Amino acid sequence: MRAMVLDKPKHPLELRDVPKPKPGRGQLLVRVSTCAVCRTDLHVVDGELPEPKLPLILGHQIVGRVEEIGESNTNFAIGDRVGIPWLGWTDGGCSYCRSGRENLCDNARFTGYTVNGGYAEFTVADARFCFHLPDRYNDVEVAPLLCAGLIGYRSYRKTGDPRRLGIYGFGNAAHLIAQIAVYEGRELFAFTRPGDMATQQAATQLGTVWAGGSDETPPEKLDAAIIFASVGPLVLAALRALAKGGTVVCGGIHMSDIPSFPYADLWEERVITSVANLTRRDAEEFFEIAPRVPVRTRTKTFALEDANTALDQFRTGKLSATAVLTIPE
Ligand SMILES: [Zn+2]
Ligand SMILES: [Zn+2]
């Protein structure tokens, strides 16, 4: 089968013919139809995340059809549409797994990072961590929901029940989560790169009450803020925009250092927290609410062999939509 393979961080992916994987017990062999590109893929290619499996097939927002099932009963039948996310496997037995926090599992495996992912014609995945996807979306539309949507949703839920919510870094995850926040009646404040009027305008069209640069002070104090940009100093900007008791949620897997700051900025029960990975429960909740809103995705398709172009355009900020690799049968 054809796959885009990463041999070494900081090098382009290589289109290569590799053996088709065989599904083990409880695994699905999936013919990949689409795979959305995530910022985490960039962090892996750019060497910002430690110890990826090498050589590696990237990609953890995978949509495909079940082609073969490794012996054992699963929730899927041959031909079913299936979504494969970032969380690929957990041990089920560690203290995190046993306390409803499988996202923190000591031995978790991650799709397109520590196990092969979906920048390929086929992939295998543990059926217990795969999802049926809402019918209202086609394969291209639904792909960005599998990470930007799921991990964005976990970040959003970690903010509690804020009346005024700020979002710093208005990219793919923000675009999806903003729609849910507005649907749930929250006052949304969008923070973009200073001077990025196009993104501020796009945010306003989604129903934000205010949109401005990340260097600006919002007109009201916020009950919570989510940071989707991988820029450490934004944590302080967000913290200073919070009302008493407010929460800053860092939604990314990688971020530059956070500068030191006076304790007074944190005092009065403000909280800084982060989000790591997702649980299957997050996905169930998100795939229930997303089609009701309905959350709409913006996508730009690329052929599998053009994955490097997609990554480059993402890295240089040239994409205003989620890149989705499409792999015709
Ligand atoms: Zn575990
Ligand atoms: Zn991701």
Side-chain angles (χ1 to χ4, degrees):
M1 67 165 188
R2 293 182 315 138
M4 292 297 285
V5 181
L6 177 74
D7 285 313
K8 208 154 95 171
K10 300 185 180 169
H11 287 72
L13 312 183
E14 236 183 67
L15 181 66
R16 212 178 289 157
D17 215 4
V18 300
K20 187 164 146 184
K22 290 222 175 316
R25 196 179 166 76
Q27 283 187 326
L28 308 175
L29 172 69
V30 174
R31 176 185 284 275
V32 179
S33 161
T34 61
C35 184
V37 175
C38 176
R39 181 165 295 278
T40 300
D41 301 346
L42 272 188
H43 292 318
V44 174
V45 173
D46 293 345
E48 289 167 333
L49 294 182
E51 295 175 18
K53 167 197 179 290
L54 291 174
L56 173 69
I57 300 173
L58 286 164
H60 57 269
Q61 308 189 81
I62 307 165
V63 182
R65 302 287 180 293
V66 177
E67 178 116 339
E68 204 182 311
I69 300 173
E71 49 175 313
S72 89
N73 292 323
T74 74
N75 273 333
F76 294 90
I78 305 290
D80 279 1
R81 181 163 85 149
V82 57
I84 306 173
W86 169 249
L87 186 68
W89 184 88
T90 61
D91 59 19
C94 74
S95 60
Y96 297 105
C97 284
R98 281 186 283 115
S99 56
R101 295 178 292 166
E102 64 184 3
N103 60 308
L104 301 177
C105 175
D106 284 330
N107 297 301
R109 294 175 196 160
F110 300 109
T111 312
Y113 180 37
T114 59
V115 295
N116 278 335
Y119 287 19
E121 289 177 321
F122 293 91
T123 192
V124 291
D126 188 314
R128 296 169 302 166
F129 293 86
C130 296
F131 307 114
H132 293 280
L133 300 170
D135 288 336
R136 80 165 280 139
Y137 300 104
N138 67 31
D139 292 358
V140 172
E141 292 165 343
V142 80
L145 298 182
L146 279 155
C147 185
L150 292 183
I151 294 182
Y153 183 75
R154 184 172 180 83
S155 309
Y156 173 63
R157 282 297 171 228
K158 277 225 162 194
T159 62
D161 185 16
R163 178 165 154 220
R164 299 195 176 104
L165 173 67
I167 297 185
Y168 287 75
F170 220 82
N172 299 328
H175 176 80
L176 304 176
I177 294 316
Q179 296 174 61
I180 297 182
V182 169
Y183 172 79
E184 293 193 330
R186 306 186 198 284
E187 292 175 25
L188 193 61
F189 297 72
F191 298 80
T192 71
R193 278 198 190 91
D196 185 352
M197 306 311 285
T199 306
Q200 288 169 24
Q201 206 168 6
T204 307
Q205 277 163 10
L206 289 176
T208 59
V209 297
W210 181 89
S214 57
D215 56 344
E216 292 178 51
T217 306
E220 323 262 7
K221 289 280 186 191
L222 307 174
D223 302 310
I226 307 173
I227 302 185
F228 286 124
S230 49
V231 181
L234 288 180
V235 176
L236 301 190
L239 195 58
R240 287 170 186 150
L242 287 186
K244 289 183 275 189
T247 301
V248 177
V249 178
C250 304
I253 189 170
H254 169 82
M255 191 181 256
S256 59
D257 286 353
I258 304 169
S260 72
F261 60 93
Y263 176 61
D265 289 343
L266 184 65
W267 192 61
E268 295 172 320
E269 306 202 341
R270 292 177 181 88
V271 173
I272 301 174
T273 186
S274 67
V275 159
N277 315 316
L278 71 143
T279 67
R280 285 171 282 181
R281 173 127 188 258
D282 298 323
E284 281 160 28
E285 283 181 25
F286 176 72
F287 284 126
E288 193 276 316
I289 192 170
R292 270 196 290 128
V293 171
V295 173
R296 289 176 208 283
T297 57
R298 298 166 305 174
T299 55
K300 180 176 177 187
T301 57
F302 293 83
L304 174 65
E305 55 270 29
D306 295 331
N308 288 310
T309 311
L311 288 166
D312 287 344
Q313 290 188 8
F314 194 0
R315 186 185 290 107
T316 51
K318 287 194 189 117
L319 286 176
S320 57
T322 304
V324 177
L325 307 179
T326 61
I327 303 146
E329 210 175 296

PDB file of all heavy atoms in Angstrom, residues 74 168 244:
ATOM      1  N   THR A  74     -16.563  -7.205  17.848  1.00  0.00           N
ATOM      2  CA  THR A  74     -16.394  -5.770  18.002  1.00  0.00           C
ATOM      3  C   THR A  74     -17.733  -5.110  17.703  1.00  0.00           C
ATOM      4  O   THR A  74     -18.689  -5.765  17.298  1.00  0.00           O
ATOM      5  CB  THR A  74     -15.347  -5.197  17.018  1.00  0.00           C
ATOM      6  OG1 THR A  74     -15.935  -5.174  15.715  1.00  0.00           O
ATOM      7  CG2 THR A  74     -14.075  -6.010  17.001  1.00  0.00           C
ATOM      8  N   TYR A 168      -8.178  32.023  22.954  1.00  0.00           N
ATOM      9  CA  TYR A 168      -6.929  32.585  22.419  1.00  0.00           C
ATOM     10  C   TYR A 168      -6.383  31.636  21.365  1.00  0.00           C
ATOM     11  O   TYR A 168      -6.131  30.469  21.652  1.00  0.00           O
ATOM     12  CB  TYR A 168      -5.902  32.764  23.545  1.00  0.00           C
ATOM     13  CG  TYR A 168      -6.201  33.906  24.481  1.00  0.00           C
ATOM     14  CD1 TYR A 168      -7.205  33.801  25.442  1.00  0.00           C
ATOM     15  CD2 TYR A 168      -5.484  35.107  24.403  1.00  0.00           C
ATOM     16  CE1 TYR A 168      -7.487  34.845  26.297  1.00  0.00           C
ATOM     17  CE2 TYR A 168      -5.755  36.167  25.264  1.00  0.00           C
ATOM     18  CZ  TYR A 168      -6.756  36.036  26.206  1.00  0.00           C
ATOM     19  OH  TYR A 168      -7.034  37.071  27.056  1.00  0.00           O
ATOM     20  N   LYS A 244     -12.316  36.887  39.206  1.00  0.00           N
ATOM     21  CA  LYS A 244     -11.962  36.037  40.345  1.00  0.00           C
ATOM     22  C   LYS A 244     -12.511  34.631  40.129  1.00  0.00           C
ATOM     23  O   LYS A 244     -13.607  34.461  39.615  1.00  0.00           O
ATOM     24  CB  LYS A 244     -12.550  36.616  41.639  1.00  0.00           C
ATOM     25  CG  LYS A 244     -11.861  37.881  42.090  1.00  0.00           C
ATOM     26  CD  LYS A 244     -12.410  38.381  43.413  1.00  0.00           C
ATOM     27  CE  LYS A 244     -13.655  39.239  43.186  1.00  0.00           C
ATOM     28  NZ  LYS A 244     -14.089  39.922  44.429  1.00  0.00           N
TER      29      LYS A 244
END
